[in-house]
């Protein structure tokens, strides 16, 4: 089982400890590599996002730690970049020009197709219910459609290495309608999204953040065999916001991949995405 993760947060965004505490936890857990990926600045105020004026310090902090921990662990400068719309996402020049080692494409906000109002689809249940009523007039299928529409546009524009928590909208959507992810319509939508990712040669992460609490990975285990058939490279990431969480759900994710017939996961080695055998 490969020990590395490329999706992590720290106190430059909504992580709950300084960057170095996460790095120390990764060294103590025997990780060979650790990627730091704070939430990107956004074109509006959001509590969870890094502010644009802190990006320089963020990058220099990672550089300092890379030097201090050289020989103990490979550290990488990443960023979880929000796709908002055609004007703001991983493909824009601002993000392409940042000296990052890799980029994550991520959707947390969806846009109502006619009003243009933005909705945070990733908050808690109460916030989701309120925004669903106020912004989407209670149209849950509309939110889910807007989420996968935005996801497919993000993939078409590119500018990143892998897709974050591919079907995360399922958590809040299922709180409103537990049957929604079991519908033919939802299934077909997800499969066509996976096909678009494969056609673009992008990778996806197996995000383990919700596993301890909800028992689910993103993407859901029901899509693993299709992902393998499409030969989409997978990276197992913990999306940790606390240093103690960097390894949460990892063994279970590898077990799931093994059971679905995967032979490899992907990690950064010497700065290059490299396939690593899953092993027994
Ligand atoms: Zn995220
Ligand atoms: Zn994240």
């Amino acid at each position: 089982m490969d020990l590395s993760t490329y999706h992590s947060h720290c106190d430059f965004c909504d992580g709950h400890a300084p960057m170095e505490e996460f790095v120390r936890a990764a060294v103590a857990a025997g990780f060979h590599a650790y990627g730091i990926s704070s939430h990107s600045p956004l074109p509006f105020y959001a509590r969870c996002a890094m502010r644009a004026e802190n990006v320089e310090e963020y990058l220099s902090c990672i550089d300092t730690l890379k030097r201090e921990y050289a020989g103990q662990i490979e550290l990488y400068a990443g960023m979880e970049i929000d796709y908002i719309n055609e004007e703001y996402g991983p493909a824009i020049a601002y993000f392409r020009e940042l000296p990052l080692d890799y980029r994550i494409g991520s959707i947390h906000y969806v846009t109502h197709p006619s009003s243009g109002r933005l909705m945070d689809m990733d908050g808690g249940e109460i916030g989701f219910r309120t925004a669903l009523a106020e912004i989407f007039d209670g149209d849950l299928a509309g939110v889910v459609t807007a989420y996968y529409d935005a996801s497919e546009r993000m993939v078409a524009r590119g500018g990143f290495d892998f897709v974050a928590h591919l079907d995360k909208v399922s958590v809040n959507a299922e709180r409103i309608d537990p049957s929604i992810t079991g519908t033919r319509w939802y299934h077909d939508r997800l499969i066509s999204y996976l096909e678009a990712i494969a056609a673009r040669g992008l990778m996806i992460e197996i995000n383990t953040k919700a596993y301890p609490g909800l028992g689910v990975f993103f993407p859901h285990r029901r899509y693993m065999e299709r992902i393998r058939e499409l030969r989409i490279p997978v990276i197992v990431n913990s999306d940790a916001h606390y240093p103690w969480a960097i390894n949460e759900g990892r063994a279970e994710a590898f077990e799931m991949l093994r059971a679905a017939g995967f032979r490899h996961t992907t990690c950064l080695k010497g700065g290059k995405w490299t396939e690593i055998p899953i092993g027994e």
Side-chain angles (χ1 to χ4, degrees), residues 123-141:
E125 181 176 350
I126 294 170
F128 184 84
R129 282 182 184 276
T130 306
L132 174 66
E134 280 179 9
I135 299 171
F136 274 80
D137 204 16
D139 178 11
L140 183 63

Side-chain angles (χ1 to χ4, degrees), residues 1 208 217 236 247-256 258:
M1 181 175 81
T208 66
F217 300 109
V236 178
N247 222 359
E248 295 278 290
R250 170 171 301 275
E252 293 86 350
F254 273 81
E255 193 48 54
M256 171 186 69
R258 222 176 270 127

Side-chain angles (χ1 to χ4, degrees), residues 39 80 106 108 165:
H39 289 288
E80 182 179 4
S106 195
H108 304 97
H165 43 64

Side-chain angles (χ1 to χ4, degrees), residues 35-236:
I36 298 141
S37 64
S38 277
H39 289 288
S40 67
L42 288 168
F44 47 85
Y45 172 76
R47 192 179 45 82
C48 294
M50 177 162 41
R51 293 208 303 266
E53 60 263 35
N54 293 335
V55 169
E56 209 178 305
E57 191 190 343
Y58 170 73
L59 294 170
S60 83
C61 232
I62 298 174
D63 270 348
T64 304
L65 292 175
K66 278 183 181 179
R67 281 193 297 276
E68 283 177 14
Y69 286 83
Q72 294 184 67
I73 189 166
E74 286 188 6
L75 297 178
Y76 292 99
M79 193 175 277
E80 182 179 4
I81 304 174
D82 266 279
Y83 174 91
I84 303 293
N85 53 36
E86 293 299 284
E87 281 76 52
Y88 202 91
I92 67 172
Y94 170 74
F95 291 117
R96 284 187 185 272
E97 287 162 13
L98 288 178
L100 294 163
D101 295 316
Y102 67 95
R103 292 160 178 80
I104 310 176
S106 195
I107 305 278
H108 304 97
Y109 296 90
V110 297
T111 304
H112 188 278
S114 52
S115 74
R117 287 181 71 192
L118 269 187
M119 170 180 170
D120 177 2
M121 70 81 213
D122 196 31
E125 181 176 350
I126 294 170
F128 184 84
R129 282 182 184 276
T130 306
L132 174 66
E134 280 179 9
I135 299 171
F136 274 80
D137 204 16
D139 178 11
L140 183 63
V143 171
V144 173
T145 298
Y147 176 84
Y148 287 111
D149 282 351
S151 300
E152 285 180 2
R153 283 197 299 271
M154 173 178 83
V155 161
R157 294 298 306 277
F160 60 95
D161 299 74
F162 65 88
V163 173
H165 43 64
L166 182 139
D167 54 352
K168 198 162 194 197
V169 73
S170 63
V171 174
N172 275 325
E174 284 180 343
R175 285 172 174 145
I176 311 292
D177 175 3
S179 71
I180 193 162
T181 54
T183 60
R184 185 83 222 169
W185 158 78
Y186 182 91
H187 177 82
D188 290 349
R189 188 76 218 247
L190 209 129
I191 297 299
S192 69
Y193 181 34
L194 289 174
E195 288 168 354
I197 291 167
R200 293 282 307 189
L202 292 166
M203 302 184 285
I204 64 172
E205 68 170 358
I206 307 300
N207 184 301
T208 66
K209 181 177 174 224
Y211 189 80
L214 301 174
V216 294
F217 300 109
F218 308 114
H220 193 278
R221 63 173 73 233
R222 69 172 74 95
Y223 306 110
M224 289 302 140
E225 287 180 9
R226 190 73 191 113
I227 291 165
R228 178 176 52 72
E229 287 165 6
L230 288 166
R231 299 176 182 275
I232 301 172
V234 297
I235 302 160
V236 178

Side-chain angles (χ1 to χ4, degrees), residues 3 21-31 69 72-73 246-247:
L3 288 174
E21 285 188 31
F22 287 86
V23 172
R24 271 200 227 113
V27 171
F31 279 37
Y69 286 83
Q72 294 184 67
I73 189 166
I246 59 161
N247 222 359

